[in-house]
Amino acid sequence: LEPARLGQFHPHGDLGDAPLTAVLLFPRDAKAKALLAGRLGRRDGVRVIRPDQVVDQLAGLVLKLRRLFDAHQALAAVSTALFMVLVIGLGLRARAAELRALVDVGASRAAVFTLQLTEWSLIALLAVAVAAAGVALGAWWLPDPQRWT
């Protein structure tokens, strides 16, 4: 209400039945804010909520969740990289006799290296294609996040 129209305001009915659940107060300075919080904080059934504190708490929670998701993503990336190193290492160990046989029949080490590099490049390309297909399928299947708001 504007101060000039405050005299025109009059409630209809019993004030105890009024559905008043909140009051917005705008103190003029820090001292008035502290006095008002002190006076209202002592009353039973009255809670003083400062929007700036609520927003700060929510922002802190969001940042903590972001750090958690970032740590999870980093852990997944490291474990995937270690798994790939393990697969490549075991593959090389399992095919060591075959690679030695290629060198024994006259293939140069460069040719053997090129053969292995081509093989692992194709595997990596296939992995990227499968990942891209998964992302495309997820984007098609999941609802649009713009409609969540």
Side-chain angles (χ1 to χ4, degrees), residues 54-140:
V54 173
V55 169
D56 287 345
Q57 287 175 346
L58 283 174
L61 178 64
V62 167
L63 291 176
K64 284 180 184 177
L65 284 173
R66 180 177 177 165
R67 282 194 298 266
L68 175 72
F69 288 136
D70 287 347
H72 180 268
Q73 183 178 2
L75 182 65
V78 167
S79 64
T80 301
L82 290 174
F83 179 72
M84 287 303 298
V85 167
L86 178 69
V87 167
I88 290 171
L90 290 176
L92 290 175
R93 183 182 291 176
R95 297 185 56 205
E98 177 184 335
L99 298 175
R100 265 187 261 115
L102 284 173
V103 172
D104 289 343
V105 295
S108 69
R109 292 193 185 276
V112 172
F113 177 75
T114 304
L115 181 66
Q116 287 181 317
L117 185 64
T118 303
E119 178 183 338
W120 291 109
S121 297
L122 289 174
I123 290 172
L125 184 65
L126 180 64
V128 168
V130 169
V135 168
L137 184 63
W140 172 76

Side-chain angles (χ1 to χ4, degrees), residues 11-65:
H12 295 272
D14 185 20
L15 289 179
D17 294 337
L20 184 65
T21 59
V23 175
L24 298 176
L25 302 172
F26 301 98
R28 56 182 173 262
D29 57 10
K31 181 180 178 183
K33 185 187 291 186
L35 288 172
L36 187 61
R39 287 182 187 149
L40 291 177
R42 291 187 301 224
R43 292 187 178 186
D44 290 335
V46 175
R47 283 182 55 196
V48 178
I49 298 174
R50 294 185 49 201
D52 56 341
Q53 290 177 345
V54 173
V55 169
D56 287 345
Q57 287 175 346
L58 283 174
L61 178 64
V62 167
L63 291 176
K64 284 180 184 177
L65 284 173

